[in-house]
Amino acid sequence: MSKVLPALTPELEAFIAEQAVFFVATGPLAAEGHLNLSPKGQDSLRVLAPDLVGYLDLTGSSNETAAHLLENGRITLMLCAFHGQPRILRLHGHGRVVLPTAPNWPDLIRRFPPLPGARQIILVQVTRVSVSCGMAVPKMQLDEPRMELLAWAERKGPEGLREYQARHNRRSLDNLPTPFAPAAE
């Protein structure tokens, strides 16, 4: 059975803080475009207000979420309990990308752990909160966080990350621009 709420409650905020992984889903407007579903971790999700969440997005091989948000803003975050009581939490909303050059970056970035490879913060204005049972989700134990992406970012260094982002994070799979694409492109 599903329950719909207009905003996050303190109980759901605590649930979010306990989860080691969450999933982000976005899609382009074009029907033939590729939907994107990405797992995220590294203690990167924060509740900023009952109707606002943000996550620190690390440099990766593509930048689908940013391209889709730039085009249409639609986003859903999903968390599910892999231990304890079964629960699935979906946060539907409209997202936007905040780059390190944005005026509000210093205020936002201090809410997150200092992680190498941070390329942007995704802010989600939550318009619908839904909670469902999750009784089919298996129970699993977390061994430890993966550190490979952080080590890779440290090896690249700031300049290497900028070069990588310019080469790999400018266009989506469907050739949509991301905030890393020059305006004339």
Side-chain angles (χ1 to χ4, degrees), residues 40-163:
K40 304 290 182 184
Q42 299 295 338
D43 188 31
S44 60
L45 179 61
R46 295 291 181 271
V47 175
L48 304 172
D51 63 348
L52 182 68
V53 297
Y55 73 87
L56 184 61
D57 189 50
L58 304 178
T59 301
S61 58
S62 69
N63 202 1
E64 300 304 299
T65 301
H68 295 158
L69 293 180
L70 195 59
E71 184 196 40
N72 62 61
R74 297 176 305 162
I75 188 167
T76 300
L77 277 59
M78 185 190 80
L79 300 95
C80 51
F82 293 111
H83 64 279
Q85 294 297 317
R87 176 181 285 168
I88 296 172
L89 173 63
R90 289 181 182 88
L91 307 176
H92 302 264
H94 300 284
R96 67 182 179 89
V97 177
V98 179
L99 296 175
T101 55
N104 60 339
W105 177 267
D107 290 333
L108 287 170
I109 193 66
R110 66 182 171 78
R111 306 285 302 262
F112 300 93
L115 297 174
R119 76 176 156 193
Q120 57 205 4
I121 294 170
I122 304 295
L123 291 180
V124 179
Q125 187 67 53
V126 178
T127 57
R128 182 178 192 270
V129 175
S130 68
V131 182
S132 55
C133 68
M135 288 189 241
V137 175
K139 288 185 177 184
M140 296 187 283
Q141 296 298 317
L142 175 67
D143 287 339
E144 60 188 29
R146 293 185 191 267
M147 304 308 285
E148 291 90 300
L149 183 63
L150 302 180
W152 172 84
E154 287 202 354
R155 284 192 306 274
K156 283 268 184 211
E159 185 57 35
L161 285 168
R162 279 190 290 280
E163 290 171 10

